[in-house]
């Protein structure tokens, strides 16, 4: 009886529209049944209703949110599928201004580069005395990096809200299977073979107005949104430490340890912890079971590098409490920023690659 109830609940939690020729089954996420019933599926199998054809396709929530089912660029009709890694890297030279996932990835890449620069400013004086400590360089790079991360986090929330309502696989597979209709949110069917001026993706992308502040509670059951929402608040809190790192503010609080701990180090610890939670949710979104890593998944690799970066930023703040009293703590705090920034950069570049290559 318990198994049956879980299956029925899983069917209920599937809330995407499907093409008229498809049905979904085998919905699941990485969590045990009780927690799993609260969350929407992160993967499902889509199959043809035509029993004479046995094609089935694996739908993944991350691929859906990241627009990886869009096979061709709008209007230009250029293929987005990288036949090999080198072709995929070449796609990174494209400006996919229409793709919010591209904006998310490139924004975090830029922010991560700034944090790597900040890491050099912070750490080099410890390993080479010829490099003097630059309060100005550290402060302004920290503020710039934190601000860019905040912008990226806002874009991440918008990405989760505007992930599309129709589970799809792009024009290439539809055309190969001879699909004729797609169910739009308003229930109307459209001819998927009659390609308009918008190109091969044309009418196949479900149309909806851009969502700024939705009231639909369904998003609170989606791991992708929960991760983005957590990241937004983490970045917002973390930004406080970027602001208080500005040279004029640092000069006024450096000698006041209680204030320094409260407005500079603590936001790093709290914000970094939020980044850890966010990246953990993104890791779990790509896994079949909560205890089974999925290193073969590109999304999982992005999540693990962001997780490492989040640990580095958290340790920077935690060790910073003792930085004035201990040279070793100051050394490790700066070092944590250095390797944490590099980890975020690796994760962001991989996310950039992901955003411009379809599955």
């Amino acid at each position: 009886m318990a198994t049956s109830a879980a299956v029925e609940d899983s069917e209920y939690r599937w809330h995407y529209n499907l093409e008229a020729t498809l049905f979904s089954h085998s919905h699941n996420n990485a969590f045990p049944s009780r927690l799993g019933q609260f969350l929407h599926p992160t993967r499902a199998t889509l199959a043809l209703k035509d029993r004479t054809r046995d094609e089935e396709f694996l739908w993944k929530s991350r691929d859906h949110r990241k627009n990886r089912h869009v096979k061709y660029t709008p209007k230009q009709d250029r293929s987005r599928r990288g036949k090999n890694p080198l072709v995929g890297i070449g796609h990174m030279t494209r400006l996919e201004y229409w793709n919010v996932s591209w904006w998310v990835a490139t924004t975090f890449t830029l922010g991560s580069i700034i944090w790597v620069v900040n890491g050099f400013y912070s750490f080099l004086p410890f390993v080479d005395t010829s490099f003097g400590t630059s309060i100005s360089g550290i402060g302004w790079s920290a503020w710039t990096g934190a601000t860019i991360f905040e912008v990226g986090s806002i874009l991440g929330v918008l990405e989760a809200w505007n992930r599309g309502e129709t589970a799809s696989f792009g024009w290439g597979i539809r055309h190969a299977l001879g699909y004729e209709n797609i169910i739009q949110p308003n229930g109307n069917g459209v001819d998927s073979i009659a390609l308009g001026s918008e190109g091969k993706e044309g009418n196949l992308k479900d149309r909806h107005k851009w969502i700024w502040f939705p009231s639909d509670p369904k998003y609170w059951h989606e791991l992708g949104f929960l991760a983005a929402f957590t990241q937004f608040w983490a970045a917002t809190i973390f930004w406080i430490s970027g602001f208080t790192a500005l040279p004029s503010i640092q000069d006024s609080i450096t000698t006041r340890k209680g204030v320094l701990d409260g407005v500079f180090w603590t936001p790093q610890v709290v914000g970094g912890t939020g980044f850890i939670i966010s990246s953990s949710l993104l890791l779990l979104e790509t896994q079949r079971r909560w205890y089974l890593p999925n290193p073969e998944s590109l999304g999982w690799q992005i999540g693990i590098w962001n997780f490492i970066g989040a640990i580095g930023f958290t340790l920077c703040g935690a060790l910073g409490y003792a930085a004035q009293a201990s040279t070793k703590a100051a050394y490790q705090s700066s070092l944590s920023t250095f390797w944490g920034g590099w980890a975020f950069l690796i994760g962001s570049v991989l996310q950039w690659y992901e955003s411009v290559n379809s599955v």
Side-chain angles (χ1 to χ4, degrees):
M1 294 298 292
T3 302
S4 176
V7 171
E8 291 175 1
D9 185 70
S10 179
E11 292 288 341
Y12 173 78
R13 285 185 286 111
W14 175 262
H15 61 287
Y16 289 94
N17 299 311
L18 287 175
E19 297 183 12
T21 55
L22 294 175
F23 72 96
S24 64
H25 65 87
S26 303
H27 318 94
N28 64 83
N29 55 48
F31 296 94
S33 58
R34 289 190 178 182
L35 180 57
Q37 290 171 11
F38 173 80
L39 297 168
H40 288 146
T42 56
R43 61 181 62 221
T45 299
L46 304 189
L48 290 169
K49 292 180 180 178
D50 184 355
R51 297 297 183 180
T52 64
R53 306 179 68 178
D54 59 358
E55 291 93 347
E56 291 190 339
F57 309 101
L58 180 62
W59 175 91
K60 299 177 182 178
S61 60
R62 182 180 177 91
D63 289 343
H64 180 92
R65 188 174 68 258
K66 294 293 181 180
N67 289 308
R68 301 201 73 200
H69 295 142
V70 179
K71 300 295 181 182
Y72 296 89
T73 58
K75 297 185 179 181
Q76 294 177 322
D77 289 346
R78 292 192 299 178
S79 174
R80 300 181 71 245
R81 185 173 179 83
K83 297 179 180 179
N84 57 63
L86 288 179
V87 174
I89 292 172
H91 289 174
M92 295 174 70
T93 61
R94 298 177 178 179
L95 301 178
E96 292 199 352
Y97 59 88
W98 52 270
N99 182 1
V100 65
S101 298
W102 178 82
W103 285 103
V104 172
T106 53
T107 300
F108 275 115
T109 299
L110 177 60
S112 298
I113 291 173
I114 300 299
W115 278 114
V116 168
V117 172
N118 176 269
F120 276 108
Y121 272 123
S122 300
F123 184 60
L124 277 182
F126 285 97
V127 295
D128 190 340
T129 55
S130 65
F131 290 93
T133 300
S134 173
I135 300 299
S136 178
I138 293 173
W140 282 106
S141 60
W143 178 81
T144 304
T147 301
I148 295 175
F149 267 28
E150 176 72 3
V151 173
S153 297
I154 293 172
L155 291 172
V157 172
L158 291 173
E159 175 192 56
W161 279 337
N162 292 275
R163 78 283 187 275
E165 297 296 334
T166 300
S168 61
F169 292 90
W171 179 85
I173 292 179
R174 287 196 190 90
H175 184 70
L177 296 180
Y179 292 174
E180 296 180 354
N181 296 297
I182 181 172
I183 300 300
Q184 298 289 350
N186 60 9
N188 296 326
V190 298
D191 184 3
S192 65
I193 303 302
L195 304 175
S197 61
E198 296 184 33
K200 293 179 179 179
E201 293 293 338
N203 295 325
L204 302 179
K205 187 83 173 171
D206 54 304
R207 310 273 178 80
H208 65 278
K209 293 182 179 179
W210 184 261
I211 298 173
W212 293 103
F213 298 103
S215 58
D216 196 326
K218 68 185 178 185
Y219 296 103
W220 296 103
H221 299 269
E222 296 184 4
L223 270 181
F225 170 73
L226 292 174
F229 186 76
T230 303
Q231 185 179 55
F232 165 71
W233 283 109
T236 301
I237 295 170
F238 194 88
W239 183 88
I240 298 172
S241 65
F243 178 72
T244 55
L246 291 173
S248 58
I249 298 177
Q250 274 291 300
D251 288 341
S252 64
I253 66 175
T254 298
T255 58
R256 303 161 65 185
K257 190 176 187 309
V259 177
L260 182 69
D261 290 348
V263 301
F264 183 65
W265 296 119
T266 297
Q268 290 189 50
V269 174
V270 176
T273 302
F275 289 145
I276 291 174
I277 296 172
S278 174
S279 55
S280 297
L281 292 175
L282 292 175
L283 283 171
L284 290 168
E285 184 184 24
T286 66
Q287 297 180 187
R288 290 184 177 274
R289 296 288 184 270
W290 65 269
Y291 53 85
L292 292 178
N294 187 19
E296 295 182 356
S297 165
L298 179 58
W300 191 90
Q301 289 291 335
I302 294 168
I304 196 64
W305 282 108
N306 286 336
F307 181 82
I308 294 170
I311 291 177
F313 277 28
T314 304
L315 285 176
C316 173
L319 293 166
Y321 290 124
Q324 289 183 328
S326 170
T327 303
K328 291 182 179 179
Y331 176 93
Q332 291 296 335
S333 177
S334 296
L335 179 59
S336 295
T337 298
F338 182 78
W339 58 259
W342 277 105
F344 272 128
L345 180 57
I346 294 172
S348 297
V349 171
L350 289 175
Q351 189 174 7
W352 184 359
Y353 176 92
E354 175 192 46
S355 71
V356 295
N357 286 283
S358 66
V359 291

